[in-house]
Amino acid sequence: MDSTWLVLLSLALGLVVGAGFVWLLHSAASRSHRATEIVSPTVPDGVDQVLEALPTAGIVVDPSNNVVRASAGAYGLGLVWNAALSQARMVELVDEVRRTGEPIAEDLELARSTLGDATVQLTVRVARLGSRYILLLADDRTEAVRLEQVRRDFVANISHELKTPIGAISVLAEALESAPDDQEQVRHFASRLTSEAGRLARLTQDIIDLSRLQAAEIVPHAERVSIDEVVASAVDQNRVLAESRGIQLATGRASHAVVFGDESVLTTAVHNLVSNAVRYSPDKTRVGIGTRLADGVVEIAVTDQGPGIPSEDLERVFERFYRVDQARSRATGGTGLGLSIVKHAVQNHGGEVRVWSQPGRGSTFTIRLPEAEHIAPSADVTASETAEVAQGERTR
């Protein structure tokens, strides 16, 4: 009897111990699973696909502000570094959304990296993603902000540039009215009035030309154009002014080069370069205009013996209304739009314009265009297709 009870007691004790051991194993496994979920969190289904499809930069962070998902755009903007947000302000926005639960939108100007001073303009939106995660979206508005600033500057510059000749015309008209019997004064004021009216007309025409060039990415009606004829026409337009100051316009030998494009637009571009060279050259000096054909590229170079351009201004000389020397430019009658017109005219023909200059050694502006024979379009190619081919040749 005693032995039977001992057996039953042993069995019961074994069952209790076994059940306890199984419970311990289950508990340990549960804790391990929960720990795994914390260490390696799983974002909601579909988030990866959404981030790939978004045109903006997208980032998902966990409760410890670790970046668990990020789009290529986020890395491209430098917003993620070493699996963490690289911008302190973004971390602050994430913490605020986690604390309040309310989404936030804010415009930020952030450094693109710690290696330079380049910045990006972003519109950032931060909101909860489920109960654990925070979703951050960043829309890059850098180019839009830059264009808006350019627009504001353009309007301000136009207002300023128009104000000067209009004011001068008004004053001269009053002076003429007050001295009708003084023939000498009348002739003087009339000459000044004609000069200011011409300046106003040139500025207005330059604004119109630049607007047309910027509105069209390619030449709408491209034809075969002789570069020698373009150069000859541009030189003739500046010959009277050059001879009045004893400046020699020296042209090189004929290149016989042909390009596809608009002859009047190309003539305007070369004319602007020659006109600039004449206006900024000292009296009794020389302006050289040369053409060259090499490897399917036509080059038109205009060289002067003027004061030159400082290195810090070389990157900006093609901007609208930008002048290296404000006083000298106004004295020579420049509108501040000539080089900008050159840049857009050449780009619309699939080419580029370059500048070399050193203070005291003069400047050389070079237009580079794809040669028509090098492009060799068939007879049924449209003008727009021809310009697109030219653009491709330039970027190869």
Side-chain angles (χ1 to χ4, degrees), residues 302-304 308-309 314 317-318 353-366:
V302 178
T303 303
D304 63 53
I309 304 170
L314 286 177
V317 293
F318 295 103
V353 58
R354 298 176 177 178
V355 57
W356 173 92
S357 185
Q358 286 186 357
R361 298 187 60 185
S363 305
T364 298
F365 288 83
T366 304

Side-chain angles (χ1 to χ4, degrees), residues 62-395:
D62 65 10
S64 300
N65 282 350
N66 297 314
V67 174
V68 294
R69 293 291 188 277
S71 66
Y75 288 101
L77 291 173
L79 304 180
V80 178
W81 176 256
N82 199 23
L85 294 173
S86 62
Q87 304 292 341
R89 180 54 186 162
M90 288 188 171
V91 176
E92 293 173 0
L93 293 177
V94 168
D95 291 340
E96 185 175 347
V97 169
R98 185 177 290 112
R99 183 176 62 256
T100 64
E102 297 296 327
I104 294 176
E106 185 174 314
D107 292 332
L108 302 176
E109 180 178 353
L110 303 172
R112 185 178 290 273
S113 73
T114 58
L115 302 179
D117 56 359
T119 60
V120 290
Q121 303 284 342
L122 303 177
T123 295
V124 178
R125 299 173 181 84
V126 186
R128 284 189 173 276
L129 181 63
S131 60
R132 291 174 47 81
Y133 303 100
I134 300 294
L135 174 65
L136 186 148
L137 300 176
D139 185 18
D140 185 4
R141 298 184 62 254
T142 305
E143 185 64 14
V145 171
R146 186 191 70 81
L147 290 176
E148 177 60 21
Q149 183 62 46
V150 168
R151 185 193 67 80
R152 287 197 298 266
D153 291 344
F154 187 51
V155 172
N157 285 326
I158 285 179
S159 301
H160 179 73
E161 296 292 337
L162 290 175
K163 183 178 179 180
T164 301
I166 290 174
I169 289 173
S170 177
V171 171
L172 290 169
E174 292 177 1
L176 278 173
E177 186 178 6
S178 65
D181 300 326
D182 190 336
Q183 294 299 317
E184 186 66 27
Q185 289 291 334
V186 168
R187 282 193 293 270
H188 172 71
F189 290 138
S191 175
R192 290 284 308 279
L193 193 61
T194 301
S195 176
E196 292 297 333
R199 178 180 176 184
L200 182 60
R202 289 193 300 274
L203 176 59
T204 303
Q205 187 60 51
D206 280 353
I207 292 172
I208 293 172
D209 290 343
L210 182 59
S211 298
R212 287 175 177 171
L213 290 170
Q214 289 181 314
E217 295 183 357
I218 57 176
V219 179
H221 305 292
E223 299 176 342
R224 293 174 66 87
V225 177
S226 167
I227 290 299
D228 293 333
E229 293 181 7
V230 167
V231 170
S233 178
V235 169
D236 285 342
Q237 292 177 31
N238 289 278
R239 195 176 298 282
V240 173
L241 177 60
E243 290 178 351
S244 68
R245 297 179 50 205
I247 296 175
Q248 178 189 3
L249 297 180
T251 56
R253 60 183 180 182
S255 65
H256 306 292
V258 177
V259 300
F260 277 98
D262 186 313
E263 182 173 355
S264 63
V265 173
L266 290 175
T267 301
T268 297
V270 178
H271 159 71
N272 285 353
L273 292 185
V274 177
S275 176
N276 266 11
V278 171
R279 286 191 289 109
Y280 283 95
S281 291
D283 294 349
K284 303 185 186 314
T285 55
R286 182 175 182 271
V287 171
I289 305 98
T291 57
R292 187 172 77 97
L293 177 61
D295 299 326
V297 176
V298 180
E299 292 187 349
I300 309 167
V302 178
T303 303
D304 63 53
Q305 295 175 310
I309 304 170
S311 57
E312 62 269 19
D313 293 308
L314 286 177
E315 295 297 325
R316 302 193 61 189
V317 293
F318 295 103
E319 295 180 11
R320 294 170 293 185
F321 294 114
Y322 185 79
R323 294 180 173 95
V324 176
D325 186 337
Q326 295 281 350
R328 181 181 178 88
S329 181
R330 293 187 189 281
T332 57
T335 65
L337 294 175
L339 290 179
S340 185
I341 290 173
V342 173
K343 173 186 174 182
H344 288 282
V346 173
Q347 286 182 342
N348 287 3
H349 283 77
E352 63 178 353
V353 58
R354 298 176 177 178
V355 57
W356 173 92
S357 185
Q358 286 186 357
R361 298 187 60 185
S363 305
T364 298
F365 288 83
T366 304
I367 292 174
R368 305 180 77 248
L369 298 166
E371 183 195 7
E373 297 301 331
H374 189 64
I375 300 173
S378 60
D380 58 348
V381 174
T382 65
S384 62
E385 289 172 335
T386 298
E388 290 173 358
V389 172
Q391 180 70 19
E393 290 290 334
R394 182 177 69 86
T395 56

